Amino acid sequence: MSKQKSVWEEFFTGKRSGGHRSSAEEFISREAREKLFHLDGGKTLLDFGCGAGELLVYYALEYEKLVGADFSESMLDEASKRIRARKCENITLILADDETVWEKLDSSFDRITAAGVIQYLTDEEVDNFISNASEYLNKEGKIVLFDLLNPRLYPLWRIGYLSRNFGCWKIFCKIGFETFSVVSASLNNRPRDILGYTHKPCIIESIANKHGFKMEYVQSMYYEYKYHAIMSRE
């Protein structure tokens, strides 16, 4: 396991929420509707990095069979509670990461998705993920990667430039804080950004093309610095 991966696993140990912009059910339901629109049908779904299951229970209303996978036991425990409360009997949960999830599956899927997860994978790991996912994807299936960090917009968001009440002084202070954080992370041999890596859309598209997929690039409705990658077979 890489040092960065171990840091992120440590970071998520004990966490019980998926880090959505708002934990309000009304917001989660809107976010789920957006993602369901892009998932665009199918009967079976693998949600890799399902976290606490906030979106998964909404997906369950539209799919016959779902598998939610995550490497965090605390997240899966929370997801299990949410599933029982919603009486979603069509969901199975498995404890796994991007390398071990495939050996724990016993079927293929119409849709394979991940939301807010790909940022924790390097380009090489994304390549491996898509390669493995393609082996578990049904003929007319799609791989849909939600909420990738846009390398052009994410830095602007970090310094507050995309906020509604941004100002020069606030941005200046933010830049100073971000610089301090980067230096501190380097000195402590930790990832520069706990939110993970940014991914250029053109790189993700080249990986998709390599594995026989065409990719549609879509801006996220609810996170101005993120985008979705929708992959379907050529």
Side-chain angles (χ1 to χ4, degrees):
M1 181 187 298
S2 69
K3 285 185 177 179
Q4 296 229 350
K5 258 192 172 180
S6 64
V7 167
W8 287 322
E9 289 201 5
E10 178 186 334
F11 175 76
F12 281 103
T13 298
K15 290 285 190 303
R16 293 186 171 273
S17 65
H20 299 270
R21 172 160 283 177
S22 170
S23 59
E25 206 60 43
E26 181 182 357
F27 176 84
I28 299 295
S29 67
R30 291 201 307 268
E31 186 179 336
R33 285 198 296 272
E34 179 212 8
K35 289 173 165 58
L36 282 166
F37 174 80
H38 293 306
L39 286 167
D40 189 29
K43 294 183 179 180
T44 56
L45 179 140
L46 167 65
D47 183 9
F48 175 73
C50 67
E54 292 102 329
L55 296 172
L56 188 60
V57 293
Y58 285 99
Y59 296 162
L61 301 175
E62 303 295 332
Y63 287 86
E64 294 178 4
K65 176 185 175 183
L66 305 93
V67 173
D70 205 281
F71 68 62
S72 169
E73 292 188 33
S74 59
M75 286 286 206
L76 288 181
D77 181 57
E78 200 65 27
S80 181
K81 293 176 183 177
R82 184 170 275 106
I83 288 167
R84 288 197 301 271
R86 300 290 186 95
K87 296 182 170 59
C88 299
E89 299 180 358
N90 52 344
I91 300 176
T92 301
L93 297 177
I94 58 176
L95 179 67
D97 62 19
D98 58 297
E99 296 177 355
T100 61
V101 62
W102 314 110
E103 63 194 39
K104 297 186 177 184
L105 301 175
D106 58 9
S107 65
S108 56
F109 300 87
D110 296 329
R111 300 289 185 271
I112 295 177
T113 188
V117 175
I118 299 304
Q119 64 209 53
Y120 299 109
L121 304 181
T122 63
D123 288 341
E124 181 181 357
E125 289 166 338
V126 173
D127 192 324
N128 291 333
F129 181 85
I130 293 173
S131 175
N132 288 321
S134 67
E135 298 296 321
Y136 286 85
L137 195 65
N138 292 333
K139 186 177 180 181
E140 302 298 326
K142 292 182 180 181
I143 299 172
V144 186
L145 307 179
F146 290 119
D147 299 327
L148 287 80
L149 298 179
N150 189 315
R152 290 190 302 106
L153 299 177
Y154 180 59
L156 298 178
W157 176 80
R158 289 279 298 187
I159 64 173
Y161 184 78
L162 300 180
S163 66
R164 294 179 180 178
N165 60 343
F166 79 93
C168 293
W169 175 247
K170 287 184 178 180
I171 290 178
F172 179 78
C173 292
K174 271 279 193 178
I175 291 173
F177 176 77
E178 292 298 325
T179 302
F180 172 79
S181 297
V182 169
V183 172
S184 177
S186 178
L187 292 174
N188 289 286
N189 197 27
R190 296 178 69 85
R192 290 177 60 186
D193 189 341
I194 200 63
L195 287 185
Y197 305 103
T198 60
H199 290 288
K200 294 180 179 178
C202 62
I203 298 296
I204 301 299
E205 184 171 18
S206 68
I207 294 172
N209 294 163
K210 171 185 172 183
H211 296 290
F213 294 93
K214 59 182 180 181
M215 189 187 104
E216 182 182 0
Y217 165 96
V218 181
Q219 182 66 30
S220 169
M221 287 179 62
Y222 297 106
Y223 302 90
E224 60 275 17
Y225 54 97
K226 295 182 179 182
Y227 68 94
H228 310 320
I230 303 169
M231 304 176 191
S232 54
R233 297 192 190 276
E234 295 278 16

